[in-house]
Amino acid sequence: MRSSHQRKERDRTNAVLHALLQLGPGPHKSRDITARTTMDEDEVQRRLLQLFKAKVCFRPRFGYWELRPTPATATDTQLGLVHPSTTPLLDAALLLEGIHSRTQHAVLLHTHSPVTGERLCIAAAGSHDARLRSELASTPGAVDRLRRAPLDSDAPGLAMLANLAGHDVPLREDLRQIRAAQVALTESPLPGWILVSVPVRRLPGAPVTPGAEPRVVAAASILAPAHAHGDPLVAYGRLMRNAVQVAIESSVVITHHRFAAAQAA
């Protein structure tokens, strides 16, 4: 849990961030930013330096600060959310961007390692959100735990874990409910944020073996503030299940090497 001191620190940094957002694009004087907060100028300067280190803003010249426009793909790499050994998958990236565009929340794709029993983030979209970057930067270890953690840590791993066992294998109650609903919701490693996850039985565009029963290979997750409106378990779960199904059905898949050669010719 986040302590009252940590919450106060986060709120002060967010107050400076909100002041920059209210001032809009372009460079702004330190005193104009301070005027939109209840803090003194020295305190605002410290918060601006935190945002600068988190690559949320930059200083174009002395005494001026400006929000940094950062593309989603570059931000995901800078933050370290995506595991470095990952090979980019175009169709999977398009799936995540589609979910992000409809929810305006960050979206993560995790797969699992049978060797280590961990979930690994292999793609992300929407992490350019300034508030999310600020809170990740002020919460040590949150990025690492979002990128890699034991399968039973939170929603992405549980969504996969519930579906990896055979249907004749007894499951504990929480996993049984997740498998029945095909959606999981838990707190995230970032305090004050939740993860809503659905299992993915095949990555869009990935090769398949004809006739083989698809197994769960990944989990798609929305990372949203805990006070998200409505019932995220129902609304986000349904949205993601539908998006995953459409992406898999519409992606181009090569299932046979001879067919691929014929198409290339």
Side-chain angles (χ1 to χ4, degrees):
M1 295 291 290
R2 193 190 286 265
S3 69
S4 60
H5 173 73
Q6 289 173 319
R7 285 195 297 271
K8 188 178 293 185
E9 289 290 294
R10 178 202 63 186
D11 291 343
R12 286 175 177 172
T13 303
N14 280 337
V16 175
L17 170 62
H18 291 155
L20 271 170
L21 289 169
Q22 289 168 1
L23 287 166
H28 303 288
K29 293 180 180 179
S30 296
R31 66 170 178 264
D32 294 335
I33 301 169
T34 302
R36 290 180 174 266
T37 73
T38 58
M39 294 173 276
D40 60 41
E41 192 160 354
D42 287 342
E43 179 72 7
V44 170
Q45 286 293 320
R46 286 195 292 272
R47 305 296 160 181
L48 285 167
L49 285 172
Q50 285 183 354
L51 295 171
F52 176 78
K53 290 177 182 177
K55 296 182 172 61
V56 175
C57 69
F58 66 100
R59 186 163 41 187
R61 58 186 183 274
F62 184 78
Y64 287 78
W65 299 86
E66 182 174 356
L67 282 174
R68 184 189 298 274
T70 311
T73 51
T75 303
D76 300 331
T77 302
Q78 290 169 358
L79 287 177
L81 286 172
V82 178
H83 197 270
S85 64
T86 299
T87 300
L89 297 169
L90 176 60
D91 286 342
L94 293 175
L95 165 63
L96 301 192
E97 289 291 350
I99 296 174
H100 167 64
S101 69
R102 295 178 65 181
T103 64
Q104 296 304 301
H105 294 310
V107 188
L108 308 177
L109 184 68
H110 289 88
T111 189
H112 64 90
S113 168
V115 177
T116 64
E118 295 175 310
R119 56 153 180 76
L120 304 173
C121 185
I122 62 171
S127 61
H128 57 287
D129 177 76
R131 178 189 170 190
L132 174 60
R133 282 188 285 157
S134 173
E135 295 206 15
L136 284 171
S138 61
T139 309
V143 169
D144 291 339
R145 294 192 297 275
L146 282 166
R147 181 179 65 244
R148 180 176 183 174
L151 268 176
D152 60 357
S153 297
D154 46 35
L158 293 173
M160 290 184 279
L161 201 57
N163 289 276
L164 285 171
H167 285 279
D168 56 343
V169 176
L171 292 176
R172 66 185 196 225
E173 182 58 20
D174 63 330
L175 293 179
R176 188 189 67 77
Q177 291 181 7
I178 290 170
R179 182 151 73 181
Q182 290 295 286
V183 60
L185 182 151
T186 66
E187 294 181 352
S188 84
L190 183 63
W193 296 67
I194 58 172
L195 282 164
V196 186
S197 307
V198 300
V200 178
R201 296 194 175 275
R202 178 170 62 78
L203 294 176
V208 294
T209 303
E213 182 179 354
R215 297 192 64 198
V216 167
V217 296
S221 307
I222 287 174
L223 177 63
H227 54 75
H229 296 297
D231 186 346
L233 186 64
V234 174
Y236 289 159
R238 183 184 301 118
L239 184 155
M240 283 193 291
R241 286 196 302 268
N242 291 342
V244 167
Q245 187 62 32
V246 169
I248 290 174
E249 291 177 352
S250 61
S251 63
V252 177
V253 179
I254 297 173
T255 58
H256 197 286
H257 293 297
R258 289 177 63 186
F259 176 77
Q263 289 292 92

